Amino acid sequence: MDFPNAKTRLAMIIGHPIGHSLSPLIHNTAFRHQGLNYVYMAMEITPENLSKGLRGLTALGCVGANVTIPYKEDVLPHMNHLSEVAKAIGAVNTIVCQEDQLYGDNTDVSGFLAPIVDLPLRNTPMTILGAGGAARAAAFGLVQHFDPQPLTLVARRVDQAQNIVRDFSGLSSRINVCDFPSSSTSIQKSRLIVNATPLGMHPHVDQTPLDRSIYFSSNQVVYDMVYRPNRTRLLKQAESQGAQVIGGLNMLIHQAAAAYKQWTHHDMPLDVVRNALNQTFV
């Protein structure tokens, strides 16, 4: 059967901007490989149209959507139901449409943990750069799985980071907050440093959340949640100084796979998707 056709199911990613997204390549590669009659599109929605766009998901018969910058928190009031993880994090990255209802979930946690889950990081000091939805997912995953001693949130808006501390107070009492000018000590002491800001994302590849005065060591792991490019300026700096580095591409694939499973009830063919990304991703 030729796809797409009148029975094709639609999924999408919504954000602003959205041109950088690799999600259409990921999902459409998986759909084609498994012969599923679905298509995945990138939809840029401006803030003033977010509410109307979300209502349109069920009107168009979509199976669901991914949510990216800057809407992971903004979509919360528009959901009819939230998963326990989405409630705990206070952010949604995956929407499942069920009849005329929107079910909000967050697969960023499992996706984030996938490349580090087996590393010997438990009870070590850790630092997250950022305080938005991605930082919330990372903080939740680290606290639940590794119990950092302590976890430091470095934020431009300290009050935003303090909200995370308040919301996660029942999970951990070892979460600290500081601003970027005061972050060097926590970064130097940390075993794991996570960039949960968008700085360095294509096309602004010259940007980095930290200046070059920060020096990384060989016993540190630097994890950038930015996936395009997979080797950001931050990772290049850390790698040149001997640190172990992890790009955001693995997280992207695994969080996508969890959404894919909810929409199609099929396991995403991870190796096929990874090969497609490696062939097209610079």
Side-chain angles (χ1 to χ4, degrees), residues 128-180:
I128 296 174
L129 310 176
R136 279 179 168 268
F140 183 82
L142 293 179
V143 167
Q144 290 286 84
H145 191 79
F146 290 111
D147 190 20
Q149 301 293 325
L151 174 63
T152 301
L153 305 178
V154 181
R156 181 176 56 85
R157 289 179 48 197
V158 171
D159 59 328
Q160 190 178 25
Q162 289 171 337
N163 288 337
I164 298 177
V165 175
R166 180 199 65 208
D167 294 344
F168 290 175
S169 60
L171 301 176
S172 174
S173 60
R174 299 297 307 277
I175 306 179
N176 304 323
V177 173
C178 70
D179 59 16
F180 277 89

Side-chain angles (χ1 to χ4, degrees), residues 38-272:
Y38 291 75
V39 67
Y40 187 103
M41 300 181 67
M43 297 289 189
E44 181 154 349
I45 298 179
T46 56
E48 63 270 20
N49 287 321
L50 179 61
S51 178
K52 290 185 288 187
L54 291 171
R55 291 197 302 271
L57 293 177
T58 54
L60 292 172
C62 296
V63 294
N66 288 126
V67 183
T68 189
I69 295 170
Y71 298 135
K72 292 186 178 184
E73 296 174 58
D74 293 343
V75 301
L76 286 168
H78 303 281
M79 298 296 103
N80 301 108
H81 307 280
L82 290 171
S83 70
E84 292 304 314
V85 175
K87 288 178 185 177
I89 297 171
V92 165
N93 82 319
T94 297
I95 298 171
V96 179
C97 299
Q98 298 175 337
E99 297 180 350
D100 61 345
Q101 304 283 294
L102 298 180
Y103 178 90
D105 192 16
N106 195 304
T107 64
D108 280 335
V109 175
S110 59
F112 168 74
L113 289 173
I116 62 171
V117 68
D118 294 324
L119 296 181
L121 297 172
R122 186 166 179 79
N123 300 133
T124 62
M126 301 180 181
T127 295
I128 296 174
L129 310 176
R136 279 179 168 268
F140 183 82
L142 293 179
V143 167
Q144 290 286 84
H145 191 79
F146 290 111
D147 190 20
Q149 301 293 325
L151 174 63
T152 301
L153 305 178
V154 181
R156 181 176 56 85
R157 289 179 48 197
V158 171
D159 59 328
Q160 190 178 25
Q162 289 171 337
N163 288 337
I164 298 177
V165 175
R166 180 199 65 208
D167 294 344
F168 290 175
S169 60
L171 301 176
S172 174
S173 60
R174 299 297 307 277
I175 306 179
N176 304 323
V177 173
C178 70
D179 59 16
F180 277 89
S182 308
S183 65
S184 60
T185 299
S186 67
I187 290 172
Q188 290 168 357
K189 291 182 177 180
S190 288
R191 179 80 171 85
L192 174 70
I193 300 99
V194 178
N195 176 34
T197 78
L199 293 176
M201 181 183 293
H202 176 84
H204 307 292
V205 296
D206 59 325
Q207 296 182 352
T208 179
L210 299 174
D211 61 44
R212 291 192 177 274
S213 65
I214 297 292
Y215 188 85
F216 300 102
S217 63
S218 58
N219 70 338
Q220 291 181 307
V221 179
V222 180
Y223 184 167
D224 200 331
M225 294 171 75
V226 170
Y227 61 82
R228 187 175 189 184
N230 197 36
R231 279 293 186 271
T232 59
R233 178 178 166 183
L234 173 66
L235 292 188
K236 289 177 181 177
Q237 176 186 348
E239 191 171 40
S240 71
Q241 295 167 351
Q244 179 180 351
V245 298
I246 300 172
L249 206 57
N250 276 329
M251 174 181 174
L252 177 70
I253 294 171
H254 283 277
Q255 63 81 27
Y260 185 92
K261 178 75 170 182
Q262 294 188 61
W263 296 332
T264 68
H265 307 292
H266 286 75
D267 292 323
M268 178 176 280
L270 298 179
D271 290 342
V272 172

Side-chain angles (χ1 to χ4, degrees), residues 10-13 23-24 27-28 31 38-42 65-66 263:
L10 175 64
M12 65 181 67
I13 183 169
S23 294
H27 288 277
N28 288 322
F31 294 152
Y38 291 75
V39 67
Y40 187 103
M41 300 181 67
N66 288 126
W263 296 332

